[in-house]
Amino acid sequence: MSWDHLQLKPQIISAVRRAQLKSVREVLCVSGPDLQKMTGLSRSDVQELLHAAATASRTHQPVTALQLRRGECHRLESGLRLGTGCPVLDQLLRGGLPVGGVTELSGESGAGKTQLGLQLCLSVQYPVEHRGLSSGALYICTEDPFPIKRLQQLISEQSVLRSDVSRSLISGLQFSDHIYIEHTADLDSLQV
């Protein structure tokens, strides 16, 4: 792909060429601060470059929650969904979160984003027949410290929260062994 097709400012294209970056993939594999050093661009120009590279490498447009609710995105309708652990929310989401894409949660402070994220770390570990994926979770923590006490509470309450699952199955799952935690202190480390 030619850099000219990305609709970037001429000085950004020149800086990328001077840094001998050949593809958007190369750009996306370098952190923002390292791109600044390599190209001599400002932070805002690097952000513009990263945004353009990410957009160019995207194979599909993002899907909104409203589009999912209306059933307007058939490419994500593989049928496999991750249950949230909340029957009402799962019903609204047509069985849970679609698998095979990225789902972004946003909301005001105290809205329950962390709570839902922690519950999803547990839900993903259940077998598929219980709306899980028999898998593990990576939790990228942007708060310090990680809410370990809340996670432990959720683990201890799974038999109450997931009354649809047998106690023997729940007790056989080693929830905390399959949650991997990575801390990020700022946007740059999150992008890396």
Side-chain angles (χ1 to χ4, degrees):
M1 164 177 281
S2 169
W3 292 113
D4 299 318
H5 290 105
L6 293 184
Q7 299 178 351
L8 290 165
K9 294 184 259 184
Q11 69 262 24
I12 296 176
I13 294 171
S14 296
V16 167
R17 287 186 174 139
R18 276 193 312 273
Q20 299 181 348
L21 293 164
K22 305 284 186 232
S23 68
V24 292
R25 183 179 173 96
E26 279 186 73
V27 168
L28 292 172
C29 289
V30 180
S31 71
D34 286 344
L35 277 173
Q36 278 185 270
K37 290 175 193 168
M38 292 170 70
T39 61
L41 292 169
S42 69
R43 184 175 179 176
S44 63
D45 283 346
V46 166
Q47 289 303 315
E48 185 178 332
L49 171 62
L50 287 170
H51 183 337
T55 300
S57 66
R58 182 185 302 148
T59 56
H60 300 288
Q61 289 296 328
V63 179
T64 67
L66 182 59
Q67 288 172 306
L68 282 175
R69 177 77 176 115
R70 291 177 177 164
E72 296 173 358
C73 185
H74 301 291
R75 70 177 166 83
L76 291 179
E77 296 300 325
S78 67
L80 190 57
R81 294 174 106 58
L82 172 61
T84 63
C86 173
V88 174
L89 189 53
D90 284 345
Q91 185 178 10
L92 289 171
L93 293 170
R94 297 184 174 178
L97 297 173
V99 174
V102 174
T103 300
E104 180 178 356
L105 301 172
S106 64
E108 294 182 21
S109 178
K113 301 177 301 293
T114 298
Q115 173 76 17
L116 183 57
L118 293 174
Q119 181 58 44
L120 288 171
C121 287
L122 303 177
S123 293
V124 74
Q125 297 182 51
Y126 285 98
V128 174
E129 58 268 19
H130 294 288
R131 296 181 319 280
L133 299 174
S134 295
S135 191
L138 169 64
Y139 190 104
I140 301 175
C141 185
T142 58
E143 300 171 356
D144 204 28
F146 174 76
I148 189 67
K149 287 183 181 179
R150 185 65 190 131
L151 178 62
Q152 290 169 339
Q153 288 173 335
L154 284 171
I155 290 171
S156 68
E157 294 294 322
Q158 283 302 289
S159 60
V160 174
L161 295 170
R162 294 298 305 264
S163 58
D164 61 314
V165 180
S166 71
R167 289 181 186 264
S168 62
L169 176 62
I170 291 173
S171 64
L173 293 171
Q174 299 297 315
F175 289 108
S176 58
D177 290 351
H178 301 286
I179 301 172
Y180 308 95
I181 301 163
E182 182 68 38
H183 283 277
T184 60
D186 53 38
L187 183 59
D188 289 332
S189 63
L190 178 61
Q191 288 176 332
V192 170

